[in-house]
Amino acid sequence: MLLINIDGSLTTTRSGEAYSQHPHDYEVIPQAESALQHFRKNNPYAPIVGISDQTAVEAGYKTFDNCVMEQRWKLLIIRDLNSILFCPNPREVWIVRRALEAFPLHTSQHGLPFIGQFQIPAPGLIQTALRYWGAPPEEATAIADRREVADAALAAGVPFSFARGRAA
């Protein structure tokens, strides 16, 4: 299993905005696309899961619906991704998959107890992805461009690598 932080590792905005209001503003970083294709060729059955810490929703920079549309767009432009898990706030994890509506994996709105922090650098988002896909931490790898994601991955027991050319 490959867990990869999407924003900054796989995608960037055409406009240069940190919190784009338009889902189609995102584009794939060419080197990242090549790296994913290489991984898929060598690991044809391993899931590739995007993770995204969407603090912009809670901060009011974008709406939840806009965030879901943004993740759907990223699934369209990054063909090797199986799904995207994202945190719109510290207490929830949602998943976007191809051809299905976004649905919660963990949210107090649906009667689930608060089990800990999901937003990075806490390991909750990564642990939820591992549980969802049934992958043990030692069989996964996390890649990102931010030190906080490295901290979350290592706290979850997942080996980590920085995206090439991008280190914080």
Side-chain angles (χ1 to χ4, degrees):
M1 172 182 210
L2 178 62
L3 296 161
I4 188 158
N5 186 50
I6 296 176
D7 300 314
S9 297
L10 288 180
T11 63
T12 189
T13 59
R14 290 183 184 108
S15 66
E17 292 179 24
Y19 302 110
S20 179
Q21 296 301 311
H22 194 283
H24 295 123
D25 187 30
Y26 290 87
E27 63 185 359
V28 180
I29 297 168
Q31 302 87 336
E33 190 166 34
S34 299
L36 281 181
Q37 290 169 355
H38 179 75
F39 179 86
R40 175 61 71 212
K41 181 180 175 185
N42 292 311
N43 304 277
Y45 303 108
I48 300 175
V49 179
I51 56 173
S52 186
D53 196 18
Q54 290 291 321
T55 56
V57 174
E58 187 174 42
Y61 295 117
K62 63 173 81 169
T63 66
F64 178 83
D65 290 341
N66 185 279
C67 179
V68 170
M69 288 189 308
E70 178 185 306
Q71 305 321 309
R72 288 196 177 291
W73 172 250
K74 291 172 185 174
L75 280 174
L76 286 173
I77 64 173
I78 308 168
R79 299 187 193 285
D80 286 307
L81 284 180
N82 295 93
S83 63
I84 298 173
L85 277 71
F86 70 96
C87 297
N89 63 58
R91 298 178 179 268
E92 297 181 355
V93 177
W94 288 73
I95 185 169
V96 176
R97 299 183 304 174
R98 298 181 190 285
L100 294 173
E101 291 299 314
F103 65 91
L105 289 182
H106 193 96
T107 172
S108 56
Q109 289 178 296
H110 294 87
L112 298 172
F114 179 63
I115 58 172
Q117 174 76 272
F118 288 111
Q119 286 183 327
I120 292 168
L125 178 59
I126 292 172
Q127 291 167 332
T128 301
L130 293 169
R131 275 195 306 276
Y132 181 79
W133 284 95
E138 63 275 6
E139 291 181 15
T141 299
I143 298 174
D145 64 327
R146 296 178 18 226
R147 164 73 21 223
E148 299 88 355
V149 180
D151 295 341
L154 296 173
V158 173
F160 177 84
S161 292
F162 277 106
R164 192 176 306 185
R166 299 183 181 275

